[in-house]
């Protein structure tokens, strides 16, 4: 059985009455959370979210990239969000690579060097600060006053705001 088959079985076996409002694509909390794709970051459980409350944008590292700005612009301008939370975490796999080494690896394997940034970092707090500033400085975003950044400790569950 593949992982997809396992998930489909869980879906079929689950109760159908999941809480939350699914009547509109507009998040009821007018919030977007940018976070890492790491499987240990259980966004809905950490924040007690239910369906329909927030947009969740995930990528490697939870960093604000051009594509995240694209999604945030749509989220704000077309779907009514007004706040942004950036949640990165301890023990992130992106802190274990370097920009050049990873690009060298991909180039050696494919013959092509990526044009995109890996966004590798050593200090997660510094990465959160950079991402917060990218949101606040973006000309494409309407709402940049309420942007806050956090580090989630995957071992303890502690959430620390980065100022």
């Amino acid at each position: 059985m593949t992982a997809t088959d396992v998930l489909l079985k869980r879906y079929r076996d689950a109760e159908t009455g999941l809480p939350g409002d699914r009547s509109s694509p507009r998040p009821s909390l007018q919030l977007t959370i940018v976070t890492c794709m790491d499987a240990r970051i259980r966004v809905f459980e950490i924040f007690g979210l239910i369906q329909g409350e927030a947009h969740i944008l995930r990528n490697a590292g939870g960093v604000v990239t051009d594509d995240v700005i694209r999604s945030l612009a749509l989220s704000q301008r077309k779907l009514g969000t007004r706040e942004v939370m950036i949640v990165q975490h301890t023990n992130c796999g992106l802190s274990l690579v370097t920009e050049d080494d990873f690009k060298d690896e991909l180039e050696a394997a494919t013959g092509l060097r990526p044009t995109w940034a890996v966004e590798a970092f050593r200090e997660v707090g510094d990465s959160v600060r950079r991402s917060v500033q990218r949101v606040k400085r973006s000309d494409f975003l309407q709402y940049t006053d309420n942007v806050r950044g956090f580090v989630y400790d995957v071992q303890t569950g502690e959430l620390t705001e980065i100022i």
Side-chain angles (χ1 to χ4, degrees):
M1 185 178 282
T2 68
T4 302
D5 291 332
V6 169
L7 295 183
L8 289 173
K9 182 178 181 336
R10 288 181 189 170
Y11 167 76
R12 286 188 298 272
D13 293 346
E15 294 182 31
T16 57
L18 294 174
D21 181 5
R22 292 179 287 287
S23 64
S24 171
R26 300 172 75 81
S28 64
L29 293 178
Q30 298 181 319
L31 170 69
T32 302
I33 300 172
V34 178
T35 193
C36 187
M37 64 187 191
D38 191 301
R40 298 170 293 177
I41 312 302
R42 298 175 60 185
V43 182
F44 279 78
E45 289 85 351
I46 291 168
F47 295 111
L49 288 170
I50 59 175
Q51 287 184 359
E53 289 186 320
H55 283 160
I56 312 297
L57 306 179
R58 298 183 83 138
N59 67 14
V63 295
V64 174
T65 61
D66 286 346
D67 192 57
V68 168
I69 294 293
R70 176 187 71 88
S71 293
L72 285 171
L74 287 162
S75 178
Q76 289 186 357
R77 292 178 180 270
K78 298 300 180 188
L79 297 168
T81 60
R82 303 289 184 264
E83 295 182 45
V84 179
M85 284 179 73
I86 296 166
V87 182
Q88 295 180 14
H89 65 96
T90 59
N91 195 26
C92 183
L94 200 54
S95 69
L96 304 175
V97 301
T98 67
E99 203 72 27
D100 287 335
D101 286 347
F102 190 63
K103 285 185 173 186
D104 290 346
E105 178 183 330
L106 292 174
E107 186 174 20
T110 67
L112 299 171
R113 189 164 190 85
T115 57
W116 37 263
V118 176
E119 300 285 350
F121 58 84
R122 290 288 163 256
E123 296 296 326
V124 66
D126 292 340
S127 179
V128 169
R129 283 184 200 89
R130 267 190 307 278
S131 286
V132 166
Q133 286 307 308
R134 286 177 181 167
V135 171
K136 288 186 173 190
R137 292 179 180 158
S138 175
D139 292 333
F140 300 112
L141 303 178
Q142 292 178 293
Y143 303 99
T144 59
D145 291 341
N146 204 346
V147 181
R148 295 167 69 183
F150 302 85
V151 173
Y152 176 74
D153 187 312
V154 294
Q155 298 303 316
T156 67
E158 183 179 351
L159 188 70
T160 303
E161 187 161 10
I162 302 298
I163 306 296

